Amino acid sequence: MKALVTGAAGFIGSHVVEALGAAGHEVTGLDLRVPAHDATSEAAHLPGRARPALGEVRLVTGDVRHPAVLDRALDGVDLVVHQAAKVGLGVDVADLPDYASVNVYGTAVLLAAMARSGVGRLVLASSMVVYGEGAYDCGEHGRVRPGPRTREDLAGGVFEPRCPRCGAELTSATIAEDAPPDPRNAYASTKLAQEHLAANWARETGGTAVALRYHNVYGPRMPRDTPYSGVAAIFRSALEAGRAPCVFEDGRQRRDFVHVRDVAEANVAAARARTVPGELAAYNVASGRPHTIGEMAGALAAERNGPEPVVTGEYRLGDVRHIVATPDRAARDLGFRARTGFTEGMREFATAPLG
Ligand code: UD1
């Protein structure tokens, strides 16, 4: 198939370009960034690091919010793999307009352009952040979805969410795709809005739409430490600078770290998926083998021979405690299972080049 990858020069997008190319697709990349070594933009090539041994990839340089750029990029395309987005937790509410503009408006412009060009397949980069807090079981009340943790609890070192009905301690459980969404920050709200818009587009056009809810993606070319970076990049950057990773809360919060090459393979699987036309199908993209933030910090520090992580007890109000997914639906419908194990993945990431 002929695929357009938006955000093609980014961390995940560049791996998706490679994986689609290796699977035999003809790839066009769209990105804001002009490749460092070639400023001619149109029909230029992705940076060498983005496509080892893949041959040439057509790159259109421009903004996903510009209809004319999209019309050009979509010429002859059968499938769009939409990775372009403003990511991360951001700094504060001053970021809201940018998140809404790039993620929500940008996706709306893209979907309208796809309808104009008759492109009937979409793979959307979504996120586990649409769930908000993970799933929990209360001994008394069964499956519950606790609201945000209070400042008082966090400041007092009470990190585990409580049962919203009786206040009792809870056991963390795995979350599946049919859990009701509960976005807790601007980024999460825009990812959910993207899913809704994609579902609207699918219904209106009869198109096929797959949303991949990425869990904590890490691996080579991950962006360095910024207010928009995930925790793996923050720890990796700290260690590189000779500083100890600062582990918030008590370090026992759990996440599912999934390697970027597995995420790229999930996109390849989604590109050929036979899901129901006219509907959006959502899938967790996760390893199914969660680890604590403390374990992740320890693994990276050990690979780099220190310094040892420090558990600081700090907290961020917008953070959720545990978010652990079941990857079974993607295995069943897409034939996708993550292959890179935590130990080998972190060993590579400890010294891999960052973006
Ligand atoms: C992350 C991403 C989110 C993405 C999701 C799935 C960010 C900021 N968050 O969400 O955009 O959709 O993965 O891929 O990019 N922590 C520390 N020390 C630090 C920073 C964070 O201990 O210096 C802890 C946090 O308190 C939290 C955990 O690490 O408990 C994860 O943090 P982070 O990676 O920022 O956010 P996620 O919620 O996992």
Side-chain angles (χ1 to χ4, degrees):
M1 270 190 287
K2 291 187 178 170
L4 173 70
V5 179
T6 70
F11 165 44
I12 300 176
S14 65
H15 285 274
V16 171
V17 167
E18 287 177 2
L20 285 170
H25 298 286
E26 199 178 304
V27 181
T28 297
L30 171 65
D31 206 289
L32 270 177
R33 285 192 262 174
V34 177
H37 69 293
D38 184 347
T40 55
S41 69
E42 187 70 14
H45 308 145
L46 284 176
R49 66 184 177 86
R51 47 167 197 85
L54 267 189
E56 297 186 353
V57 172
R58 177 171 168 255
L59 179 69
V60 176
T61 304
D63 195 314
V64 79
R65 291 167 291 188
H66 292 164
V69 168
L70 288 169
D71 287 342
R72 210 163 64 226
L74 286 169
D75 190 30
V77 158
D78 312 299
L79 155 79
V80 172
V81 184
H82 185 32
Q83 309 287 322
K86 185 176 169 75
V87 299
L89 217 52
V91 182
D92 55 32
V93 286
D95 279 333
L96 278 175
D98 245 19
Y99 276 106
S101 177
V102 177
N103 298 358
V104 184
Y105 179 68
T107 300
V109 175
L110 171 66
L111 293 170
M114 286 172 69
R116 259 196 319 277
S117 304
V119 182
R121 273 189 96 83
L122 173 73
V123 178
L124 171 71
S126 185
S127 168
M128 57 68 161
V129 290
V130 301
Y131 297 123
E133 191 58 79
Y136 293 84
D137 291 323
C138 170
E140 177 81 16
H141 298 105
R143 180 59 47 95
V144 290
R145 299 289 304 281
R149 296 172 293 173
T150 65
R151 196 185 285 277
E152 292 67 38
D153 273 355
L154 291 165
V158 178
F159 299 122
E160 295 293 337
R162 301 167 188 266
C163 174
R165 296 178 62 187
C166 66
E169 280 185 25
L170 299 168
T171 316
S172 152
T174 53
I175 200 150
E177 289 84 350
D178 53 6
D182 181 13
R184 300 274 175 98
N185 56 48
Y187 173 65
S189 302
T190 62
K191 280 286 146 188
L192 186 58
Q194 287 186 320
E195 286 197 10
H196 287 317
L197 291 172
N200 299 149
W201 166 86
R203 204 159 47 241
E204 292 281 336
T205 64
T208 300
V210 177
L212 298 178
R213 292 177 177 166
Y214 301 161
H215 284 250
N216 292 65
V217 187
Y218 73 101
R221 299 176 217 147
M222 195 170 181
R224 281 170 194 282
D225 183 358
T226 73
Y228 306 92
S229 304
V231 65
I234 294 173
F235 288 172
R236 166 74 165 72
S237 300
L239 286 162
E240 197 168 278
R243 287 183 278 111
C246 290
V247 178
F248 298 163
E249 304 185 16
D250 57 3
R252 290 203 283 267
Q253 60 273 43
R254 294 194 300 153
R255 293 291 188 279
D256 189 312
F257 294 97
V258 57
H259 195 279
V260 68
R261 282 194 296 273
D262 284 324
V263 172
E265 287 307 325
N267 279 273
V268 174
R272 59 168 177 257
R274 293 185 181 279
T275 59
V276 181
E279 290 178 16
L280 175 99
Y283 296 97
N284 285 323
V285 175
S287 74
R289 292 179 298 274
H291 289 269
T292 67
I293 298 298
E295 282 167 352
M296 196 269 289
L300 286 180
E303 288 298 334
R304 294 193 65 100
N305 294 320
E308 283 295 299
V310 177
V311 178
T312 65
E314 284 169 81
Y315 62 89
R316 303 185 302 195
L317 265 187
D319 274 333
V320 297
R321 177 65 173 170
H322 307 293
I323 175 97
V324 176
T326 154
D328 297 345
R329 186 188 281 185
R332 188 192 66 208
D333 291 4
L334 307 181
F336 166 75
R337 272 203 190 279
R339 288 191 307 193
T340 310
F342 178 79
T343 308
E344 62 172 302
M346 288 299 165
R347 182 175 303 136
E348 179 205 33
F349 182 56
T351 52
L354 298 181

